[in-house]
Amino acid sequence: MNENTALIPFRIDIPQADLDDLRARLAHTRWPEPVPGLADRTDFSRGIPPVYLQELADYWRDEFDWRAQEAKLNAYEHFTTIVDRQRFHGVHVRSSNPEATALLLNHGWPGSFVEYQQLVPLLTDEFHVVVLSPPGFGFSTPLSGTGWELARTTEAFAEIMTRLGYERFAAHGTDIGSGITGRLAALHPERVIGTHIGADPRYLGLVGEKFPIPDGLSADEIAQLEAVHSADAADRGYLEMQNHRPDTIGVALTDSPVGQLAWIAEKFKSRADGDRRTPEESVDRDQLLTNVSLYWFTRSGTASAQFYYEAEHSGLEFAMPSGVPSGWAVFDAHPLVRRTMDPWKAIGHWSEFTEGGHFPAMEEPKLLADDIRTFLRSIS
């Protein structure tokens, strides 16, 4: 049977019953007993502080306006399409310039197409922008089955770009999306004009695991790398659960909105040394809660965790070399990022910013937009 390749117009319209259910669940949250001495709302050393989480949950229940955010998102063109029996959701924003270059934006976890909400309007003067959600994320649900990992997703994204009419395009990505971006270039170099990666010091956690430790590091550099690994290890609980036990954590994320909120909001805590900012001081609170709400309404807490399991057990390399021009923008820059991930300075465009972090499209959208534009102009 031939697969239906149609691009089907899509509009976000969460049923009112789902909104009422969310508020009711938030109102009846069973909170843990407070532990004496742990009342600091900015101390994330043991995870997200319950006192801070309760403040955020109260705002989500009583003040956050999903319908207003839904209307903003619906200002863009949305579509769904089926590839290999899996439903994919995409956002397609055409430039006023019909000759503009197509630009695919790839996100990771715990992001979504909402992550690029502020970035898209900064790019459409020069680019036709496409944002695709990987299987298990947002409206690219429910999952059609097992086996959706980087390689299969990359081929599906290439097919969708063809359906949209873009034989040639550029790609940007962060987190998991950087793996998809790099794989697109490696497997389809005749189609990908250039790749742009948004990175931060957390990428150093991949050195020694997904990327080799380069020769010639000094004793001080090795000590710095070990310090980063030590800090990263303290933050890997979510990764081990999603890599190996997605079904177990998925039940809690699907049944408890506060559980889903805690699981995601903690990752928006700034990781700069000594920084005491809470998540909504790093990113817009309503945008953060729109992202969390999307996970809640689509049950993506479980489905997106399956992507981690599939990737961990696929045996695939996260990064694939290609001859396609590449640019990196490193936010909250650490000198070891280039020293370890590009020791030969093979990446032609390399930018470092003291601002931002793991979610540059939400934290510093203008810096990111300008860097993408500068890089793609340099290779045109």
Side-chain angles (χ1 to χ4, degrees), residues 122-173:
L122 301 177
L123 294 171
T124 50
D125 58 335
E126 291 191 35
F127 305 103
H128 300 302
V129 179
V130 179
V131 188
L132 300 178
S133 296
F137 290 74
F139 295 110
S140 291
T141 52
L143 286 169
S144 61
T146 59
W148 280 104
E149 29 73 323
L150 280 174
R152 196 174 174 193
T153 300
T154 297
E155 291 307 311
F157 279 18
E159 169 61 21
I160 295 170
M161 293 302 284
T162 298
R163 294 180 188 182
L164 288 168
Y166 299 126
E167 286 304 317
R168 295 271 288 163
F169 57 92
H172 162 81

Side-chain angles (χ1 to χ4, degrees), residues 198-257:
D200 70 288
R202 290 199 70 209
Y203 277 58
L204 291 173
L206 300 174
V207 178
E209 182 178 315
K210 302 294 185 182
F211 296 90
I213 299 176
D215 296 330
L217 293 183
S218 68
D220 180 61
E221 289 172 328
I222 291 173
Q224 290 183 54
L225 187 60
E226 289 175 347
V228 171
H229 282 176
S230 177
D232 186 60
D235 192 43
R236 292 175 67 87
Y238 84 92
L239 185 64
E240 296 306 319
M241 284 296 294
Q242 296 192 160
N243 279 354
H244 302 289
R245 296 294 185 269
D247 289 344
T248 301
I249 189 59
V251 174
L253 300 179
T254 304
D255 189 61
S256 169

Side-chain angles (χ1 to χ4, degrees), residues 161-197:
M161 293 302 284
T162 298
R163 294 180 188 182
L164 288 168
Y166 299 126
E167 286 304 317
R168 295 271 288 163
F169 57 92
H172 162 81
T174 60
D175 196 76
I176 294 169
S178 64
I180 296 172
T181 296
R183 188 170 287 270
L184 277 167
L187 299 179
H188 300 279
E190 76 288 354
R191 298 189 62 189
V192 178
I193 298 166
T195 61
H196 186 274
I197 302 300

Side-chain angles (χ1 to χ4, degrees), residues 13-26 60 66-67 257 293 296-299:
D13 186 14
I14 299 301
Q16 185 60 42
D18 288 359
L19 292 174
D20 295 341
D21 174 69
L22 170 60
R23 291 195 178 97
R25 287 173 183 262
L26 289 169
W60 193 15
W66 166 260
R67 291 300 185 203
S293 298
W296 173 255
F297 292 135
T298 60
R299 307 189 186 198

Side-chain angles (χ1 to χ4, degrees), residues 12-345:
I12 305 170
D13 186 14
I14 299 301
Q16 185 60 42
D18 288 359
L19 292 174
D20 295 341
D21 174 69
L22 170 60
R23 291 195 178 97
R25 287 173 183 262
L26 289 169
H28 293 91
T29 300
R30 188 169 182 248
W31 293 99
E33 292 290 342
V35 177
L38 295 181
D40 185 350
R41 65 186 297 278
T42 64
D43 182 3
F44 281 66
S45 60
R46 300 183 184 218
I48 193 165
V51 64
Y52 166 73
L53 181 62
Q54 189 161 1
E55 293 173 8
L56 195 57
D58 287 348
Y59 178 85
W60 193 15
R61 182 191 69 217
D62 298 329
E63 298 182 58
F64 174 73
D65 188 345
W66 166 260
R67 291 300 185 203
Q69 300 303 318
E70 187 178 68
K72 290 179 183 179
L73 295 174
N74 278 329
Y76 295 129
E77 177 185 336
H78 296 252
F79 67 89
T80 62
T81 192
I82 306 296
V83 181
D84 194 11
R85 300 182 300 280
Q86 173 64 44
R87 182 172 89 153
F88 285 84
H89 167 259
V91 176
H92 186 199
V93 186
R94 295 175 174 86
S95 172
S96 58
N97 175 10
E99 302 302 318
T101 299
L103 173 61
L104 172 61
L105 303 179
N106 295 305
H107 68 79
W109 182 92
S112 67
F113 69 90
V114 173
E115 185 176 341
Y116 290 119
Q117 190 175 7
Q118 297 179 65
L119 182 68
V120 169
L122 301 177
L123 294 171
T124 50
D125 58 335
E126 291 191 35
F127 305 103
H128 300 302
V129 179
V130 179
V131 188
L132 300 178
S133 296
F137 290 74
F139 295 110
S140 291
T141 52
L143 286 169
S144 61
T146 59
W148 280 104
E149 29 73 323
L150 280 174
R152 196 174 174 193
T153 300
T154 297
E155 291 307 311
F157 279 18
E159 169 61 21
I160 295 170
M161 293 302 284
T162 298
R163 294 180 188 182
L164 288 168
Y166 299 126
E167 286 304 317
R168 295 271 288 163
F169 57 92
H172 162 81
T174 60
D175 196 76
I176 294 169
S178 64
I180 296 172
T181 296
R183 188 170 287 270
L184 277 167
L187 299 179
H188 300 279
E190 76 288 354
R191 298 189 62 189
V192 178
I193 298 166
T195 61
H196 186 274
I197 302 300
D200 70 288
R202 290 199 70 209
Y203 277 58
L204 291 173
L206 300 174
V207 178
E209 182 178 315
K210 302 294 185 182
F211 296 90
I213 299 176
D215 296 330
L217 293 183
S218 68
D220 180 61
E221 289 172 328
I222 291 173
Q224 290 183 54
L225 187 60
E226 289 175 347
V228 171
H229 282 176
S230 177
D232 186 60
D235 192 43
R236 292 175 67 87
Y238 84 92
L239 185 64
E240 296 306 319
M241 284 296 294
Q242 296 192 160
N243 279 354
H244 302 289
R245 296 294 185 269
D247 289 344
T248 301
I249 189 59
V251 174
L253 300 179
T254 304
D255 189 61
S256 169
V258 168
Q260 180 68 89
L261 177 63
W263 196 244
I264 290 179
E266 185 201 8
K267 301 308 168 201
F268 283 84
K269 172 74 172 72
S270 172
R271 292 177 176 84
D273 288 345
D275 200 314
R276 304 284 282 180
R277 287 181 299 169
T278 53
E280 83 275 12
E281 292 169 325
S282 294
V283 300
D284 179 79
R285 179 168 56 178
D286 282 346
Q287 189 181 15
L288 170 61
L289 288 174
T290 301
N291 183 61
V292 176
S293 298
L294 179 67
Y295 272 78
W296 173 255
F297 292 135
T298 60
R299 307 189 186 198
S300 294
T302 300
S304 61
Q306 300 294 336
F307 197 99
Y308 275 71
Y309 181 91
E310 301 291 355
E312 176 69 12
H313 294 83
S314 67
L316 295 171
E317 294 293 334
F318 181 77
M320 295 181 68
S322 78
V324 172
S326 179
W328 278 50
V330 184
F331 294 84
D332 187 23
H334 189 295
L336 274 184
V337 175
R338 188 164 204 184
R339 182 77 175 87
T340 56
M341 305 196 78
D342 184 30
W344 304 281
K345 292 184 169 50

